[in-house]
Amino acid sequence: MSATPSALLIKFPGTNCDAETARALEAAGFTTSVVPVSLITPSHLKTVNLVVFSGGFSYGDYVMAGRIAQLVSEVKLGDSLKRFIADGGYVLGICNGFQIMTKLGILPEGSLIDNSSGRFQCRWVKLKVTNPESPWLADLPEEFELPIAHAEGRFVAPEGKAQEYLDKGLAALTYESDINGSTLQIAAMQDETGRVFGLMPHPERFIHPQNHYDPDWSERPDHGWGYYFFRGIWREITGGRRLVA
Amino acid sequence: MAAAAPERPTYRTIPILALSTSELEALSKSMKLSLSGADMEAVRAYYQEQGREPTDVELEVIAQTWSEHCKHRIFSARIQHTRDGKTEEIDGIFKTFIRKVSLGIMDSKPGFVLSAFTDNAGFIEIDPGLAACLKVETHNHPSAIEPYAGANTGLGGVIRDILGAGKGAKPVASLDVFCFGRPDTKPEQIRAKDVIHPLGVMRGVVRGVRDYGNRMGIPTVGGAIQFDDTFCYNPLVFCGTAGIIPSSEIAKEVIPGHLIIAVGGRTGRDGLKGATFSSGALGTDSHEEDQTAVQIGNPIEEKKVSDFVLSAREQGLIAAITDCGAGGFSSAAGEMLSETGGEIILDQAPLKEPGLLSWEIFISESQERMVLSSAPEKLPALRKLADVYETELAVLGKSDGTGILKVKHHGHMVCELDCRRLHEAPRLDLKATWTTPDWQPLPTLNEATAEADLREILGDFAIVSREPVIREYDHEVQGNTVLKPLAGATGDAPQDGAVIRVDGSSRLLALGLSLLPEWGKTDPYAMGLACMDECVRQLVLCGANPDKIAVLDNYCMGNPHDPAELGGLVESARALAEAAVAYGTPFVSGKDSFYNYFQTEDGPVSIPVTALISGIGIVEDAKHVTGASLRSDDSVLCLLGTATGDLGGSVYARRKGLTAQRVPVGDPVAAAALYRSTHEAIKGGLVLSAHDISEGGLAVTLAEMAFSLKAGIEATLPDGPPAMVQLFSEAPARFVLEVRPADVETLQEIFADHAFTVLGHTTSAHRRLKIAGTQRPVIDADIAGLKEIWKSGLAAWY
């Protein structure tokens, strides 16, 4: 492969998973730049393959998680993000990034609201791939684990839509048990193209086997499942689609 | 008058030269300066020399600088200590038991400690060129009055300590330790009005920590909660943060001509007089009158400051930096200008509201502010960076080499103090006494109740799982957490400490801690030895090299002017010094909190003398991290160490109402040797898992190891003390190792000089905890059932 795909991570005040997400992207083969939102212009999107909204608490999430970041992104980027997607670009949102993306309207209609427990929770969860065709999940087994850490991760959609998302493969990943009240236990969503993907679990926190809570975890000898998540999309992008020189 | 001058003056002159000592005391009281008569006399003498009256700004600055919170005057005091009738003079607790001892240890380990006692936090070397630091602060008084905001800003404050350590360390992990009244305290037990029930304190404090730590993106990886009636009026809230920095960025210097720059949040009337407020006792009035001393945190403001500081440091834009904590600008700028002197223009400080008085601006403890010093030519780059990270930056003044701190406001000199003199607080003389209690003999204990006792103890507030609290903290952010607070095959079993990866190194950092206030009630000396022991033991069992451990001391106590209470402090400090020498673990930083007593309707209630020892250790290889949960159903369980016959301080003794029981006194020299052997065993890959024996004793340790649900346990207690003592004693320097059957012989050789007992084995045949005494079985319980008791105990209350 001649060129290395490049990722742009947009950092808002309160974004706090940027360093480890950039590290994970680099480990999977991306060149990655983390750019504070104050410096972002539409031209940043012209030179990258993947735009990433990482985890954190953008602007404190005091209004609704991701709402202020959505407004600022729209001011900064105008319609360039939607054009980027239409032109074949990839967009990933993790946790707060997923929340921001649901507000930006670049994922099928739905919202991430307070967990049914009413509490923040940090724990590992079992996940089930419901759409093995998803380019983001290509390198992952049908079932795998990742950590979650969120207070607003309960996915809700308009009446009847959640089942439709599941049937169409848009709800590509579900929790194996009800951990936050998400409709049909939906943990991740992708758009119709499959290039835009948001998930609540944190793949960037499971790059090394030692990140797992069980010292004897050995389903893969070299890397944790998070690595295979990023590696999957690296393969997708480098496997023939648009590559920015 | 200058054109911009306000209608009314923003400062005033306070005549003191003509005042008598009692009038000075009254003045200190009315201005809430928390200065004693002797302090005020020293102030008067200074102004007699200067031939003028002080301004209110100057008195406030002196009060902040000389407060217990900032100056640690109790720890510096000369103490006449009488122990069981024999009197000795202690030339300062800090100097005698902490500084001198630590400097001696550092001399014997050149290159390990890179800085201690001089900066916001001490530094140790991880790898050549890379250093780690740890700082722990208390935020007790604010958390008593406003639990959420008090704990919120407590964590925010210690994170700023790390951002202000060296030229700006990167915060990588936090620890939070609390002491609360019992959750089941009956409202009528609280003998004072407006005191918040322990449940309210707990919920507020945990959420305060959660909302700051999670938003900052710093994993909260460790902690502890103690529940005891003595903490009902004075809860303790310790917040700690560890940081990483390139070693070359540790040394900092304020150079004459450099700018003094404030960055971050604006200055307001919130947080006035926090340092002096926390240097006095709480009373019912505190809940009404001292509200302005507590502030509300804004973690996103601090996150922006953090992003700014770390980038500025990486770009070489910072010459010196410190946090704005207690005392606000007066303490930050005062500290920065303590040698060079300089000028601060208060008009340049960005304010939250107009009309602030000079002293209010100068001592306000508004959160999320840092003060840095840089060469003037760096200013444009700093301004640009502040814009990028959307935080506010203002040049407050500059250092000038005169040694005089000058503060101007609206064109007036509102404060002009000799920096060196500013730090010369009069030394206190205190008296302390300690009388060894009359210990009661241990009664005969009934083995027949052992299993019921274990169930009770697993459900005791001292032992029950902290899971409901732990899950509210993000302990995974930054993606480096290796040993988590809850781990093992099921991800919910307790561990001895936390381990995190370090970016840019193959080495890891272990964090551990210990506090035993129950021991402090009867034997503070034994408590001191045991706290150090438990902290070091945890770190070693987590995989740290015992020769690469540094510790911090955080003392909390009631009234230091009560000789009996102060005597407890002296005894525990003496023990900690002895233990530090034996383990070779230097103190690199510390903080103390006094006046944790409360005037109730029934008289003053003090907390027991409490020492939190927290430690940071270097783990040389990720392979050395084994965890504390069973990993195999075909392994051997080995007991290291011997239980003494003493049950004092134990959860068992508390539950059985056994009073005046002797508290186990450890042997730190023997323990240090044991931990070196243990590290050899871990390095050799001979240890599958390791769990310390602490609160609850051996029975709880075995149960907790089994909570991974990987295996059942069949163990037999060795000959020695009665079974009940062996099961429930909390004597220090003991732990259980899980090892492969084939390695037992090698381990016997490694531990040839220590008490090494094969206790039993794990099995796939059942999932029960079976423990036999020398005569008969004493425990045979279903592990899932025990785990359920342990796991659900706090959930009902939280």
Side-chain angles (χ1 to χ4, degrees), chain B residues 597-644:
Chain B
Y597 67 98
F598 194 98
Q599 297 292 344
T600 71
E601 291 158 15
D602 305 335
V605 173
S606 276
I607 62 156
V609 60
T610 302
L612 168 67
I613 298 301
S614 35
I616 184 166
I618 308 293
V619 178
E620 280 151 355
D621 191 317
K623 289 196 199 81
H624 301 167
V625 184
T626 62
S629 308
L630 292 186
R631 294 168 66 183
S632 164
D633 57 12
D634 178 25
S635 53
V636 173
L637 297 174
C638 308
L639 169 67
L640 277 298
T642 321
T644 63

XYZ file of all heavy atoms in Angstrom, chain B residues 597-644:
344
model
N -12.604 19.342 64.338
C -13.512 19.058 65.446
C -14.687 20.008 65.354
O -14.635 21.007 64.641
C -12.808 19.127 66.802
C -12.323 20.496 67.223
C -13.080 21.285 68.090
C -11.106 20.984 66.785
C -12.627 22.537 68.490
C -10.644 22.234 67.180
C -11.416 23.006 68.030
O -10.971 24.235 68.408
N -15.739 19.657 66.058
C -17.001 20.355 65.870
C -17.657 20.572 67.226
O -17.687 19.665 68.057
C -17.918 19.500 64.973
C -19.104 20.238 64.433
C -19.078 20.762 63.153
C -20.249 20.398 65.203
C -20.183 21.435 62.645
C -21.342 21.085 64.694
C -21.317 21.604 63.409
N -18.151 21.783 67.423
C -18.850 22.082 68.679
C -20.298 21.616 68.577
O -21.100 22.251 67.917
C -18.811 23.598 68.941
C -17.425 24.171 69.145
C -16.767 23.700 70.439
O -17.417 23.180 71.339
N -15.449 23.882 70.515
N -20.603 20.488 69.209
C -21.990 20.018 69.199
C -22.674 20.458 70.482
O -22.044 21.033 71.372
C -22.065 18.478 69.129
O -21.635 17.945 70.388
C -21.191 17.929 68.019
N -23.960 20.122 70.572
C -24.703 20.431 71.808
C -24.103 19.699 72.998
O -24.249 20.124 74.133
C -26.171 20.011 71.639
C -26.928 20.868 70.641
C -28.165 20.183 70.077
O -28.598 19.167 70.655
O -28.680 20.670 69.047
N -23.426 18.576 72.737
C -22.849 17.787 73.835
C -21.351 18.056 74.008
O -20.650 17.273 74.630
C -23.045 16.289 73.570
C -24.504 15.937 73.322
O -25.368 16.694 73.807
O -24.769 14.936 72.640
N -20.849 19.130 73.413
C -19.418 19.428 73.532
C -18.697 19.116 72.245
O -19.303 18.664 71.269
N -17.371 19.378 72.233
C -16.633 19.197 70.988
C -16.462 17.723 70.616
O -16.256 16.887 71.488
C -15.276 19.841 71.280
C -15.143 19.839 72.764
C -16.524 19.871 73.327
N -16.588 17.422 69.338
C -16.325 16.067 68.833
C -15.160 16.165 67.851
O -15.209 16.926 66.891
C -17.560 15.491 68.114
C -17.224 14.161 67.456
C -18.720 15.324 69.078
N -14.100 15.411 68.132
C -12.922 15.403 67.260
C -12.880 14.122 66.459
O -13.376 13.086 66.898
C -11.643 15.469 68.103
O -11.327 16.793 68.433
N -12.222 14.187 65.308
C -11.955 12.955 64.571
C -10.758 12.265 65.241
O -9.974 12.916 65.936
C -11.618 13.240 63.098
C -10.330 14.086 62.973
C -12.776 13.915 62.389
C -9.644 13.940 61.653
N -10.606 10.950 65.056
C -9.373 10.322 65.539
C -8.210 10.793 64.670
O -8.425 11.191 63.521
C -9.629 8.825 65.348
C -10.726 8.725 64.348
C -11.507 10.001 64.397
N -7.005 10.784 65.228
C -5.861 11.169 64.395
C -5.798 10.193 63.220
O -5.887 8.979 63.389
C -4.537 11.212 65.204
C -4.200 9.872 65.812
C -3.393 11.697 64.306
N -5.743 10.744 62.021
C -5.838 9.937 60.797
C -4.682 10.302 59.876
O -4.479 11.473 59.579
C -7.175 10.226 60.080
O -8.246 9.950 60.974
C -7.329 9.393 58.827
N -3.939 9.298 59.473
C -2.868 9.540 58.502
C -3.214 8.773 57.236
O -3.446 7.570 57.291
C -1.529 9.069 59.048
N -3.292 9.476 56.139
C -3.429 8.793 54.853
C -2.025 8.712 54.259
O -1.370 9.731 54.067
C -4.336 9.574 53.904
C -4.314 9.084 52.447
C -4.913 7.689 52.321
C -5.052 10.055 51.532
N -1.581 7.488 54.027
C -0.305 7.318 53.333
C -0.636 6.858 51.921
O -1.283 5.823 51.738
C 0.583 6.272 54.045
C 0.908 6.745 55.464
C 1.870 6.024 53.265
C 1.631 8.073 55.540
N -0.227 7.653 50.961
C -0.435 7.225 49.579
C 0.929 7.078 48.931
O 1.862 7.798 49.289
C -1.323 8.198 48.811
O -1.085 9.511 49.224
N 1.027 6.130 48.034
C 2.333 5.829 47.470
C 2.279 5.677 45.968
O 1.248 5.344 45.383
N 3.422 5.949 45.370
C 3.570 5.805 43.930
C 4.796 4.923 43.721
O 5.833 5.131 44.344
C 3.688 7.202 43.283
C 3.735 7.122 41.768
C 4.872 7.986 43.789
C 3.518 8.491 41.120
N 4.633 3.878 42.920
C 5.734 2.941 42.719
C 5.925 2.641 41.243
O 4.989 2.742 40.456
N 7.145 2.273 40.897
C 7.457 1.955 39.503
C 7.316 0.446 39.285
O 7.929 -0.353 39.995
C 8.903 2.373 39.154
C 9.166 3.829 39.535
C 9.204 2.096 37.672
C 8.402 4.850 38.745
N 6.505 0.075 38.303
C 6.383 -1.321 37.884
C 7.247 -1.461 36.633
O 7.027 -0.761 35.645
C 4.911 -1.675 37.575
C 4.789 -3.109 37.081
C 4.037 -1.446 38.802
N 8.221 -2.344 36.690
C 9.192 -2.362 35.596
C 8.718 -3.106 34.358
O 9.271 -2.923 33.278
C 10.534 -2.917 36.104
C 11.295 -1.818 36.832
C 12.221 -2.315 37.918
O 12.218 -3.533 38.194
O 12.943 -1.482 38.491
N 7.700 -3.922 34.514
C 7.219 -4.694 33.370
C 5.736 -5.005 33.586
O 5.351 -5.366 34.701
C 8.015 -6.006 33.277
C 7.766 -6.740 31.968
O 6.594 -6.818 31.543
O 8.742 -7.239 31.379
N 4.961 -4.879 32.540
C 3.522 -5.158 32.667
C 3.274 -6.584 33.142
O 2.240 -6.875 33.733
C 2.816 -4.907 31.335
N 4.242 -7.459 32.901
C 4.084 -8.856 33.338
C 4.063 -8.983 34.855
O 3.655 -10.006 35.397
C 5.236 -9.708 32.794
C 5.178 -9.957 31.306
C 6.121 -11.117 30.945
C 6.469 -11.112 29.486
N 7.559 -10.151 29.160
N 4.544 -7.979 35.555
C 4.573 -8.044 37.023
C 3.222 -7.723 37.654
O 3.081 -7.774 38.865
C 5.641 -7.092 37.585
C 7.024 -7.391 37.085
N 8.086 -6.535 37.244
C 7.514 -8.459 36.410
C 9.161 -7.055 36.692
N 8.840 -8.220 36.179
N 2.257 -7.366 36.819
C 0.936 -7.028 37.343
C 0.055 -8.268 37.278
O -0.266 -8.757 36.194
C 0.290 -5.891 36.517
C -1.041 -5.488 37.129
C 1.238 -4.699 36.440
N -0.297 -8.805 38.439
C -1.034 -10.070 38.460
C -2.479 -9.905 38.904
O -3.327 -10.722 38.589
C -0.376 -11.053 39.447
O -0.445 -10.485 40.755
C 1.069 -11.310 39.084
N -2.750 -8.879 39.671
C -4.081 -8.733 40.239
C -4.235 -9.566 41.507
O -3.340 -10.329 41.883
N -5.396 -9.377 42.156
C -5.628 -9.974 43.471
C -6.752 -11.001 43.430
O -7.352 -11.311 44.450
C -5.952 -8.882 44.482
N -7.042 -11.534 42.244
C -8.165 -12.465 42.111
C -7.665 -13.808 41.599
O -6.778 -13.857 40.751
C -9.180 -11.901 41.113
O -9.517 -10.577 41.462
N -8.266 -14.879 42.083
C -7.848 -16.223 41.665
C -7.914 -16.365 40.149
O -8.859 -15.906 39.512
C -8.740 -17.291 42.312
C -8.621 -17.468 43.825
C -9.479 -18.661 44.260
C -7.174 -17.662 44.268
N -6.886 -17.014 39.594
C -6.813 -17.173 38.146
C -6.858 -18.634 37.707
O -7.003 -18.920 36.532
C -5.530 -16.525 37.631
C -5.532 -15.009 37.831
C -4.170 -14.410 37.591
N -3.746 -14.534 36.211
C -2.556 -14.127 35.781
N -1.717 -13.559 36.623
N -2.219 -14.259 34.525
N -6.685 -19.556 38.642
C -6.611 -20.958 38.259
C -7.377 -21.811 39.260
O -7.467 -21.473 40.451
C -5.138 -21.387 38.227
O -5.039 -22.791 38.218
N -7.923 -22.943 38.773
C -8.584 -23.860 39.705
C -7.674 -25.031 40.037
O -8.099 -26.066 40.525
C -9.931 -24.331 39.152
C -9.792 -24.990 37.791
O -8.634 -25.294 37.384
O -10.818 -25.187 37.117
N -6.401 -24.847 39.714
C -5.427 -25.883 40.054
C -4.168 -25.203 40.577
O -3.094 -25.328 40.024
C -5.116 -26.735 38.810
C -4.065 -27.794 39.101
O -3.943 -28.181 40.284
O -3.363 -28.209 38.159
N -4.318 -24.439 41.633
C -3.186 -23.673 42.148
C -3.075 -23.866 43.651
O -3.987 -24.384 44.292
C -3.363 -22.199 41.798
O -4.632 -21.747 42.230
N -1.949 -23.403 44.181
C -1.689 -23.537 45.613
C -1.764 -22.152 46.241
O -1.334 -21.170 45.646
C -0.296 -24.178 45.845
C 0.075 -24.160 47.324
C -0.280 -25.594 45.293
N -2.327 -22.076 47.440
C -2.434 -20.797 48.142
C -1.423 -20.771 49.282
O -1.391 -21.676 50.111
C -3.850 -20.613 48.691
C -4.933 -20.547 47.618
C -6.316 -20.521 48.247
C -4.732 -19.325 46.714
N -0.590 -19.753 49.286
C 0.447 -19.641 50.310
C 0.214 -18.407 51.148
O -0.119 -17.338 50.631
C 1.826 -19.529 49.664
S 2.138 -20.830 48.478
N 0.407 -18.565 52.449
C 0.245 -17.451 53.385
C 1.627 -16.941 53.764
O 2.493 -17.719 54.151
C -0.497 -17.936 54.627
C -0.538 -16.984 55.821
C -1.376 -15.753 55.504
C -1.099 -17.700 57.055
N 1.829 -15.645 53.624
C 3.094 -15.031 54.044
C 2.831 -14.196 55.281
O 1.860 -13.438 55.322
C 3.652 -14.144 52.932
C 4.472 -14.815 51.821
C 5.719 -15.459 52.395
C 3.672 -15.845 51.057
N 3.686 -14.352 56.272
C 3.531 -13.587 57.508
C 2.764 -14.383 58.543
O 2.148 -15.413 58.240
N 2.808 -13.904 59.795
C 2.162 -14.600 60.906
C 1.194 -13.657 61.613
O 1.519 -12.489 61.827
C 3.216 -15.023 61.954
O 4.377 -15.461 61.261
C 2.709 -16.123 62.840
N 0.045 -14.178 61.975
C -0.914 -13.378 62.741
C -0.440 -13.308 64.189
O -0.083 -14.320 64.770
C -2.293 -14.004 62.664
N -0.417 -12.103 64.735
C -0.148 -11.996 66.161
C -1.476 -12.244 66.875
O -2.517 -12.358 66.249
C 0.342 -10.593 66.528
O -0.716 -9.673 66.237
C 1.571 -10.216 65.729
